[in-house]
Amino acid sequence: MDEADCGAYLATLAPGVDIDHRSTPFTEDLLARLLDALRDPTTEHPRIGSARFDGASFTGPARFDEATFTHFASFDGATFTRAASFDRVTFAGLAAFNQTTFTYSVWFDRATFTGVAAFGRATFTGAAHFRVATFTGAVQFPGATFIRDVTFTAARFEAAQWLGPLVCGGAVKLDHAVFEAPVTMMIAARELSLRRTRWAPSAALRLRYTEVDLAGAVMEYPVTVAGEPVPFTGMGEVPLSEEVLAGWDAGVRVRNISGVDAAHLALTDVDLSECRFVGAVHLDQLRMDGRTTFARPPIGWHCRGLMPLRWSRRRTLAEEHHWRAATARQPAAGREPSAHDGSV
């Protein structure tokens, strides 16, 4: 459209109308003018009915902050080449971001998704933020790739049965998040932070490449943390690319379960050689299956008085390493290959 036609079109819009801007190229100014035309005079925030932005390109910063989509909002295949912000946005219906590309950082802080939140095969090149977001329906990230960190701090998942499968080249942060329905999480990431995360029902965490921090996590029903031996599959059962994790150990390393009620925790095929257990309760009820790796004592000889003694072969905890370093300056402990390989 030329400027006259564009102005005439914008003049026909009113808060709450449906819009269709599939494959439209948006500059920062054009998007701002569109949202101004949809701004509710009562709330001073954009109010939009059904919205189609499939295949649209946003070449400038895209700011949808505090908008309300009263029906579905579809951004399938859209491209955001600059930062995108959906802070405090309300999606009253389906929010579709399938195969969407976010080249810079994107914010969904305090956003509310009352319908399905679909991010299938979306690509996040910059950091992604979903802090204090509320998901009242299904959450779909099948095949999503995060090059950097993705943050769900204090997010609430009211009905999500699945989180993933997704691949993250940085950290997945779910600190203080709340899950109110049984959930299966399938995550391949360098780090998974679950500090003070709360699972009201049961949860199954299937992980790859990951260092896990569970400090203070609250578990009311069984929670399983297990290493996944093969790559996850996405749509069409195609294995997900793990290129962003190339060169990293595909195993799962649990670093911290301090403050956890271990009676509800089961660990399968994980590395506990650097795990902190201090403050955990009911450790006698902690369940460990598969190949569980612990640390080992120092290698070589030590003296008791004048008598040389060889360190015994046994499993140790990370706390023993710190105690030895703090009290006796003993040599550093090594790492035991496995508790199930017959060497202990």
Side-chain angles (χ1 to χ4, degrees):
M1 292 184 178
D2 59 26
E3 180 57 33
D5 289 337
C6 182
Y9 164 71
L10 293 174
T12 66
L13 301 181
V17 301
D18 298 341
I19 57 175
D20 188 341
H21 287 286
R22 285 175 283 186
S23 301
T24 301
F26 280 97
T27 62
E28 180 180 12
D29 177 69
L30 181 58
L31 178 60
R33 292 172 63 190
L34 173 66
L35 296 178
D36 282 342
L38 299 166
R39 199 171 299 278
D40 190 321
T42 303
T43 63
E44 297 186 352
H45 302 149
R47 180 164 56 87
I48 309 166
S50 299
R52 300 294 301 268
F53 290 96
D54 308 287
S57 59
F58 298 85
T59 56
R63 299 182 177 90
F64 287 87
D65 298 342
E66 299 182 300
T68 296
F69 294 89
T70 60
H71 296 292
F72 72 83
S74 181
F75 291 82
D76 287 349
T79 301
F80 293 83
T81 59
R82 297 291 300 275
S85 180
F86 293 83
D87 287 353
R88 300 176 299 281
V89 168
T90 298
F91 296 94
L94 168 68
F97 291 86
N98 299 298
Q99 296 182 286
T100 303
T101 299
F102 297 94
T103 305
Y104 279 64
S105 296
V106 58
W107 287 265
F108 288 90
D109 291 345
R110 298 185 182 275
T112 300
F113 299 83
T114 61
V116 175
F119 291 84
R121 290 189 284 181
T123 300
F124 299 81
T125 302
H129 304 280
F130 294 84
R131 294 169 294 200
V132 203
T134 300
F135 300 89
T136 63
V139 180
Q140 300 174 352
F141 282 93
T145 299
F146 298 85
I147 306 301
R148 297 176 59 189
D149 296 352
V150 54
T151 304
F152 293 94
T153 302
R156 179 174 294 273
F157 299 85
E158 297 182 3
Q161 298 181 353
W162 300 89
L163 186 60
L166 61 85
V167 176
C168 178
V172 177
K173 301 177 182 180
L174 283 153
D175 303 331
H176 297 273
V178 176
F179 291 86
E180 299 181 2
V183 63
T184 298
M185 301 166 60
M186 294 179 287
I187 296 173
R190 293 187 182 181
E191 299 177 28
L192 176 59
S193 186
L194 298 164
R195 300 177 68 89
R196 303 296 301 174
T197 302
R198 177 185 293 272
W199 291 277
S202 60
L205 281 60
R206 298 165 52 190
L207 310 175
R208 287 175 56 77
Y209 293 94
T210 310
E211 293 189 358
V212 186
D213 186 348
L214 282 160
V218 179
M219 307 169 187
E220 300 179 19
Y221 289 90
V223 172
T224 302
V225 178
E228 189 74 8
V230 297
F232 298 117
T233 57
M235 298 177 181
E237 298 301 313
V238 177
L240 301 187
S241 171
E242 298 177 338
E243 183 179 357
V244 295
L245 295 166
W248 286 74
D249 181 359
V252 176
R253 299 159 294 282
V254 177
R255 292 291 185 250
N256 199 339
I257 63 169
S258 299
V260 171
D261 185 345
H264 299 300
L265 180 60
L267 305 174
T268 302
D269 295 330
V270 301
D271 183 340
L272 296 173
S273 62
E274 297 183 24
C275 184
R276 298 288 190 96
F277 291 87
V278 64
V281 298
H282 297 136
L283 282 172
D284 59 317
Q285 299 178 50
L286 173 64
R287 180 175 176 178
M288 293 178 286
D289 296 314
R291 296 176 61 86
T292 304
T293 303
F294 287 89
R296 63 187 184 188
I299 299 171
W301 298 82
H302 69 289
C303 291
R304 180 175 296 170
L306 298 176
M307 182 178 295
L309 299 172
R310 182 183 292 274
W311 293 102
S312 62
R313 292 283 295 172
R314 58 187 175 83
R315 289 173 286 180
T316 65
L317 303 182
E319 279 84 357
E320 180 177 338
H321 304 176
H322 300 296
W323 173 78
R324 289 186 185 282
T327 61
R329 295 186 179 180
Q330 298 286 359
R335 173 183 167 188
E336 181 192 61
S338 174
H340 295 269
D341 64 1
S343 62
V344 297

